[in-house]
Amino acid sequence: MSNITLHTLSARKQAGEKFAVLTAYDATFAHQVSSAGIEMILVGDSLGMVLQGQDSTLPVSVEEMAYHTACVARGNQGAMIMADLPFMSYATPEQAMDSAAALMQAGAQIVKLEGDAWLCESVSLLAERGVPVCAHLGLTPQAVNKLGGYRVQGRDKHSALKMLEDAKALEDAGASMLLLECVPSLLAEEITRNVDIPVIGIGAGPHTDAQVLVMHDMLGITAGRTPKFVKNFMAEADSIQDALQQYGDQVRDGRFPAEEHGFD
């Protein structure tokens, strides 16, 4: 496929066309994922859990994220690469700029930060300096200790309204994308409708502009409990490449996620 850019994905949103996002952490899987036509690769700090065996994403460092981003960049065949800024690597705007510089120099084309309106200053500074930002709202795994576990966010009226306001504030600050994790489907639909930038969902229902899954989850090889929003695409596939292509196709044509993958 031709190189995917922010312009490509923004045009998809305006045309009402969905796109697929999937994690990868090395050159081999980056090649497979991008060759399957997946539009965006997320080098997630989820690598702490699925690669390193940690019990959360918190131990992951900027240096580790830069290493895996560089590996992905070497195997990538035209997908856009997004990389997570890990825990406490963007607590101040100055820190955010230093951390983002390391990931962009390693091969990222957009960085993702977890948090709400408090991020606006950092988002603005990064955007002004040529660093595209995806703001991650809803369940933010780096804040799992504060949230009291992996819980659906935005279920009451007050928190839902705040999330909508935060989404608009981050867009106004210069965010190029939003990611909503474990958010009620109706709230995710409202946020997606009320911002002009692409919205990626995970456990956020079928109405966002894109979907993301952890690759190990959608291949059915993650140990332990499978989240409600995950579908095992290997169950009906002949190969990993077939499973990757089915995932992309089903996201684009609206078959995934189905109603049972979302939250009320």
Side-chain angles (χ1 to χ4, degrees):
M1 65 180 174
S2 58
N3 289 346
I4 302 294
T5 67
L6 272 179
H7 177 76
T8 311
L9 301 181
S10 295
R12 293 274 182 97
K13 178 183 176 88
Q14 299 309 315
E17 299 173 355
K18 296 181 183 293
F19 61 91
V21 186
L22 198 61
T23 65
Y25 315 97
D26 62 34
T28 298
F29 274 108
H31 180 88
Q32 295 296 319
V33 169
S34 54
S35 295
I38 304 300
E39 287 87 350
M40 175 177 277
I41 295 173
L42 169 61
V43 187
D45 58 1
S46 50
L47 68 87
M49 301 168 82
V50 298
L51 297 189
Q52 298 176 342
Q54 309 281 5
D55 62 3
S56 75
T57 63
L58 273 60
V60 179
S61 69
V62 172
E63 291 74 21
E64 289 167 337
M65 289 301 307
Y67 169 82
H68 286 281
T69 299
C71 291
V72 165
R74 287 191 284 269
N76 181 36
Q77 302 295 305
M80 188 170 182
I81 299 174
M82 177 160 65
D84 279 340
L85 292 184
F87 178 66
M88 289 300 286
S89 69
Y90 51 97
T92 66
E94 293 74 22
Q95 240 190 335
M97 287 189 285
D98 289 343
S99 301
L103 298 191
M104 296 292 285
Q105 289 171 340
Q109 294 155 307
I110 181 170
V111 298
K112 181 163 71 65
L113 300 77
E114 296 181 11
D116 48 38
W118 68 267
L119 283 172
C120 285
E121 182 182 0
S122 294
V123 170
S124 293
L125 289 171
L126 288 169
E128 286 171 359
R129 287 155 180 79
V131 179
V133 175
C134 176
H136 183 151
L137 294 166
L139 171 59
T140 47
Q142 292 176 16
V144 63
N145 293 305
K146 182 180 179 182
L147 296 174
Y150 297 95
R151 303 168 182 268
V152 178
Q153 303 295 305
R155 275 183 157 154
D156 63 89
K157 186 176 180 179
H158 173 75
S159 60
L161 179 60
K162 183 179 185 302
M163 198 181 302
L164 176 60
E165 291 173 346
D166 289 339
K168 292 178 178 178
L170 287 160
E171 178 183 30
D172 290 344
S176 296
M177 288 187 185
L178 296 175
L179 187 146
L180 302 177
E181 179 170 358
C182 290
V183 171
S185 299
L186 289 177
L187 174 58
E189 181 179 12
E190 184 177 8
I191 291 173
T192 302
R193 191 173 59 244
N194 278 277
V195 297
D196 293 326
I197 55 178
V199 178
I200 303 165
I202 178 167
H207 302 296
T208 53
D209 303 304
Q211 298 292 328
V212 62
L213 285 177
V214 171
M215 180 183 65
H216 295 64
D217 288 345
M218 60 79 64
L219 293 178
I221 58 173
T222 301
R225 186 180 67 86
T226 300
K228 177 183 179 181
F229 52 77
V230 170
K231 177 178 177 179
N232 178 1
F233 284 84
M234 276 300 294
E236 300 175 358
D238 297 325
S239 65
I240 289 175
Q241 195 69 8
D242 184 29
L244 296 173
Q245 288 172 338
Q246 285 192 38
Y247 169 69
D249 290 344
Q250 290 185 30
V251 168
R252 290 183 209 101
D253 67 20
R255 283 179 288 158
F256 178 80
E259 186 176 342
E260 66 263 25
H261 299 116
F263 298 99
D264 296 327

